[in-house]
DNA sequence: ATAAAACATACTTATTTAATAGGATATTGA
DNA sequence: TCAATATCCTATTAAATAAGTATGTTTTAT
């Protein structure tokens, strides 16, 4: 399934924050932008969504920035992506409901609902802490292992 | 996760075929089009993909049409959607690989790969036969139950 | 021969994604 | 107070993808 740039930027940003800024210290978007190579202006939109999702809090003004609202082990990938991705579960349209409601029903119940449940439970299990640990483990490894 | 119109049309079509045309009898796109309320011209494109994916075979000329290549219990939703959907697993682009390869690695390994596995295994388990049974069960039910 | 069908290609339109632009607002510190 | 540094807000643009049309050509049964 396709995760959009917005979702990937959000996840990468939040991993970076968890890696480096534990003690209530905020980080600015410019720093994240430079560190990860993401447009700062675009990051603003991403963080607007993250804030609405209550994953980060902001400090305005000079010396301001963002910090994680919760500890990394209490933030799941599902939390991050639902805050930011438009079509992680968005699939409301009817397909053949008017003329073949029983087919519509079967598709929804057996396929789409099962799919959503699977996505949800898979992403729920992975926390920011897991991601930080995996990234630290990788730092020591051979770079050739990077591409699977 | 969002399944495109193409994927939903393909699935609905193939359910319809499994419902009504068991004994080697072909069905035309016009009939499917009329029965399900889908543009016939668009269906042609969908069936071109289904054929490439070896889910249906075609009979050209008058009295021609399409039939399922395999028995309904041997066709999974995953088969149908992979034949037709462009971005069921399509997610090759790098996000922050250049500047933060360890973050890229962690996202891929812990989040995206887990997601793909979950999607794959969920859709693999549901067969066309399951969908037909569910739709027949629904026919008897109260129509009010339709929207969950 | 003719009608009915699949098959093929090109085109158009609408929607979504990605990114940019230009400011408004708030806060710190000199 | 003022300048610098941030977040915050809204609108716009550009590119990509999705959705659907249009117009044929081939093939085959009758």
């Amino acid at each position: 399934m396709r995760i959009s740039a917005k979702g990937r930027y959000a996840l990468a940003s939040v991993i970076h924050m968890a890696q480096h800024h534990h003690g209530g210290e905020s980080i600015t978007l410019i720093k994240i932008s430079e560190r990860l190579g993401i447009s700062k202006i675009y990051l603003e939109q991403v963080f607007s969504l993250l804030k609405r999702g209550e994953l980060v809090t902001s400090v305005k003004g000079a010396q301001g920035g963002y910090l994680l609202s919760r500890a990394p082990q209490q933030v799941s990938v599902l939390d991050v992506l639902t805050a930011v991705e438009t079509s992680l579960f968005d699939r409301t349209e009817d397909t053949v409901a008017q003329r073949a409601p029983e087919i519509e029903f079967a598709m929804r119940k057996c396929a789409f609902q099962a799919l959503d449940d699977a996505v949800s439970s898979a992403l729920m299990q992975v926390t920011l802490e897991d991601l930080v640990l995996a990234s630290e483990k990788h730092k020591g490894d051979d770079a050739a292992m990077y591409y699977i």
Side-chain angles (χ1 to χ4, degrees), chain A residues 14-85:
Chain A
V14 134
I15 293 171
H16 181 66
M17 291 170 79
Q19 279 179 332
H20 299 295
H21 297 269
H22 330 80
E25 184 192 1
S26 71
I27 182 176
T28 67
L29 289 191
I30 290 187
K31 279 193 185 145
I32 297 177
S33 160
E34 286 168 351
R35 179 65 181 77
L36 301 183
I38 304 171
S39 147
K40 180 241 173 188
I41 296 181
Y42 195 49
L43 268 187
E44 288 180 348
Q45 295 179 33
V46 173
F47 272 76
S48 155
L49 295 170
L50 287 176
K51 192 186 174 187
R52 183 192 302 171
E54 298 184 343
L55 289 160
V56 300
T57 54
S58 64
V59 181
K60 288 186 78 170
Q63 319 307 326
Y66 289 93
L67 20 75
L68 292 175
S69 304
R70 290 178 256 151
Q73 63 267 29
Q74 284 165 358
V75 178
S76 71
V77 173
L78 182 65
D79 295 330
V80 177
L81 293 185
T82 46
V84 148
E85 285 283 323

Side-chain angles (χ1 to χ4, degrees), chain A residues 116-133:
Chain A
D116 276 358
D117 292 348
V119 166
S120 180
S121 88
L123 294 181
M124 207 162 46
Q125 286 173 35
V126 185
T127 71
L128 259 191
E129 189 182 38
D130 297 330
L131 289 161
V132 170
L133 290 175

